Structure formats: structure tokens, C-alpha cells
Amino acid sequence: MRDLFQIADEFGPARIIHIHRATVGLKAIVVIDNTACGPAIGGVRMAPDVSVEECFRLARAMTWKNAAAGLPHGGGKSVIVGDPRMPSAEKEQLIRAFACAIGDIADYIPGPDMGTDEQCMAWVKDETGRAVGLPSVLGGIPLDEIGATGFGLAACIDVAREFIGLDLNSARVAAQGFGAVGKHAARFLGQKGAVLVAASDTGGTVADPSGLDIEALIALKETGRALRDHDKGTKLPADAIIDVDCDIWIPAARPDVIRADNVSRLRTRMMPQGANIPCTPEAEKTLHDRGVLVVPDFIANAGGVICASIEYQGGTQRAAFDSIDEQIRVNTRAVLEESRSTKTLPRTVALALAERRVRAAMQTRRWR
Ligand code: NAD
């Protein structure tokens, strides 16, 4: 048996629960990291190769993200071992079995993540009475459809631009990834006068220094086609998005896309992180040293979880947008001001801010 206490520190994890129901083939792990700020909110990931370490790292990331966003929630995460593309009836059985098994873990509120969606959350809610990211008929706010994270990212950029003296009107944007985060960020930035000069998906990059038609690209993606099928612009390989000359480079796809071996190719003034951990720590430091303003993921992409929290409190879509706008603007400014005055990496400042909030909340609890 491995000693899992080795991954523990002063913040958590509070509990690691392994679930096994051989009759339905269920193997799952739930990590409740820290609940000082409130019941943990965190996604349910379904993938064939998930580990307790990964689950813990994701739960800890939620502790920081929720605390940084000022939400009354701690961090947690769960993983279910399985292929998310399994037949729907099988998936329903597995998700319902998982939900029954976590029914009494009252301080964990599940949400959708890779491999699960609002339908899965409806099954969880049916079994346990609690879940976020629900279908609208159950009071859910469709955060990906309305672009909650992209909206928050645009608000973050609107504040961050002041720190580099960038006018958003005609600012050149490149988006790596044109899914829920990337396309909506482009749309909201377009409404503020910014110009999308390049966008990429797994099939390639489409670029045009004079500006792409954002709505046409979104419409194209909605028909299930790739960006390279757009009838205008230059078509390049997916990786070529890294070389595009721009003012704002938005990672909105996968982790670790910018590393020590390719960071020198970026030609941008700002990287607001839509994706989670899109940069390795070395690459992030290199960008900072080069004067590129990096807004860390858990500050810039918190729109989704703020929306989920408002949904949980029974709030409306309007309330979610207001809360995202206010919280992300306040946090972005606080982090960038302190980073500028202390000459510290924005991530270090953001982490310290989240830690301060969690520590302060821990002081209010009985077992402090
Ligand atoms: P999505 O599946 O809707 O879109 C992902 C996009 O990235 C797709 O267009 C896909 O083609 C593209 N892509 C994947 N690999 C690529 C590559 N190598 N090069 C170029 N494009 C590539 O996912 P999403 O919900 O938009 O999430 C994107 C990222 O943002 C993920 O890292 C996710 O964890 C993070 N995130 C999402 C939310 C949210 O609210 N959806 C919130 C916080 C963080």
C-alpha cells in the first residue's frame, strides 16, 4: 500500500475516497482537498487513465481557483475510470452508481469536466440532489453555450491591457483552440474592437493579418467543420499559431503547449491563460522576463466556476455575467498591481492571494 499522506500538506487533501463497485465496473476516486471556504466544487472527469495524483492536483487547482475567485467553495475533484465514448445506457449506469456512492459526501458538489456533460450532471443530481453544470430545465446555466469563461477572459484582458498601454480597439488577437473558451473570448473581444488575426483547432491554423470574420468562424465550427474549411485567410499547420505576430495570444486548448523549447517563437505582448496550465513554469518565467504580461489560468479562466457557483445559489444568467465581470476585473487588477510593485511573477502573487484567503477561512474553523 502506498502512503498517500506523502502528498498532503497544511491545506489538504482532507479526504481521498476510492470507490469500487465490481458489479457495474465502477472504479472512481474523489479528492476533497480543502473545504475551509465552503463545500468543495470540482468537476467529474471520465478517462481511461486517471490516477489519484492527477485527481489530487486537479482538486488543489480548484482550491486555489475557487478561493482566488472569492467563492464560498473549497476545492475537490473526482475521476471515474472509463472511456467517455461508451454507449449512453452504460454511461448512465456508471454515473448513477458513482452518484449513489458519493451521496453522503455532502461537502462535495460535482460539476462537468472532460468526459462528462450536463446530461451526466442531471443523473448525479437525480441521485444525490446536488450538482452544478445542469441542463437549463433543472435550473442550470449553460456556461459553455453562453461563453462564461470566454466572457471572463475578455474582462481580464480589458483590465490587463492597461498595464501594457494597449488599446483594445484594433488590438490583434490569436487564439489557440476555438472551442467553448477560445471562440467566445474572440467574440467578446471582437465586440470591444479587437481583431482576430489567427485561430487554430486540431485541424490547423487560419490566419489573416487584416482580421478574420469571427462570427463566420463560429458558425463554421457549429456545423462540425474545421477552421481550415473557412474560405478566407491563409491555412497553416495547427502549431503555426505559435508564430503569429499579435498583441494578445490566448491559449485555449491543451496543457503545456508553451515550453522552454518553443517559447522563443511567441511574438505577443500578453498571454491571458484560457486553458489550464498552458505554459510550463520555465516558459512562464521566460515570458515574464521578456516583458510579456501573463495572467495565470486560475485568475483569467475562472468565469466557468463563478457561473457554476451562481447556478448553485439559484442565481440567474444575468447575475452570473455580473459576478464574473466584477470578480475577474477586481482579481486581475489586484494581481497585476502587486506583481508590478513587487516585481514578482503574476502566478506567485495570485497563488499567495489564494493561499491568504484559504488560510483566513481556515482560522474560522474548529480544527484550525
Ligand atoms: P473545447 O473542447 O470546447 O475546445 C478545445 C479547442 O481546442 C477545440 O477547438 C480543439 O480543436 C482545440 N485544440 C485541441 N488541441 C489543439 C491543438 N493541439 N492545437 C490547436 N487547437 C487544439 O474545450 P474548452 O472548454 O474550450 O476548454 C479549453 C481549455 O480551457 C481546456 O484546457 C479547459 O480545461 C480550459 N478551461 C475551460 C473552461 C470552460 O468553461 N469550458 C473553464 C476553465 C478552463
Side-chain angles (χ1 to χ4, degrees), residues 65 143-144 149 176-182 200-202 221 238 252-255 274-276 301 304:
K65 189 183 286 198
L143 65 93
D144 279 345
T149 303
Q176 182 191 48
F178 211 66
V181 176
S200 69
D201 58 16
T202 43
K221 290 296 285 182
R254 310 275 313 156
N276 289 320
N301 73 18

Side-chain angles (χ1 to χ4, degrees), residues 271-273 284 294-301 335-336 346-348 350:
M271 181 200 277
Q273 299 184 337
E284 203 162 294
V294 178
V295 187
D297 43 12
F298 66 93
I299 297 294
N301 73 18
V335 166
L336 296 184
R347 181 173 295 276
T348 310

Side-chain angles (χ1 to χ4, degrees), residues 127-283:
E127 299 292 342
T128 66
R130 41 171 224 283
V132 288
L134 293 164
S136 50
V137 284
L138 299 179
I141 306 174
L143 65 93
D144 279 345
E145 202 178 300
I146 64 174
T149 303
F151 175 77
L153 206 54
C156 161
I157 292 165
D158 197 23
V159 171
R161 65 164 190 86
E162 293 173 29
F163 288 77
I164 54 169
L166 175 70
D167 189 350
L168 261 196
N169 195 24
S170 343
R172 297 163 307 151
V173 177
Q176 182 191 48
F178 211 66
V181 176
K183 72 178 179 197
H184 287 297
R187 181 164 65 87
F188 288 114
L189 288 169
Q191 287 167 6
K192 294 176 195 289
V195 177
L196 184 70
V197 291
S200 69
D201 58 16
T202 43
T205 297
V206 57
D208 185 345
S210 64
L212 292 157
D213 182 340
I214 297 168
E215 292 302 333
L217 292 179
I218 292 175
L220 182 78
K221 290 296 285 182
E222 267 159 22
T223 62
R225 293 161 72 200
L227 291 173
R228 62 165 178 257
D229 296 331
H230 186 52
D231 56 1
K232 302 204 181 68
T234 311
K235 312 295 156 42
L236 301 161
D239 188 52
I241 189 91
I242 298 174
D243 305 295
V244 170
D245 195 6
C246 61
D247 301 304
I248 304 168
W249 197 85
I250 302 176
R254 310 275 313 156
D256 293 336
V257 291
I258 300 299
R259 306 167 302 269
D261 61 296
N262 64 6
V263 64
S264 62
R265 287 167 49 195
L266 276 179
R267 287 184 293 157
T268 188
R269 298 179 64 192
M270 186 201 289
M271 181 200 277
Q273 299 184 337
N276 289 320
I277 40 169
C279 239
T280 63
E282 311 82 68

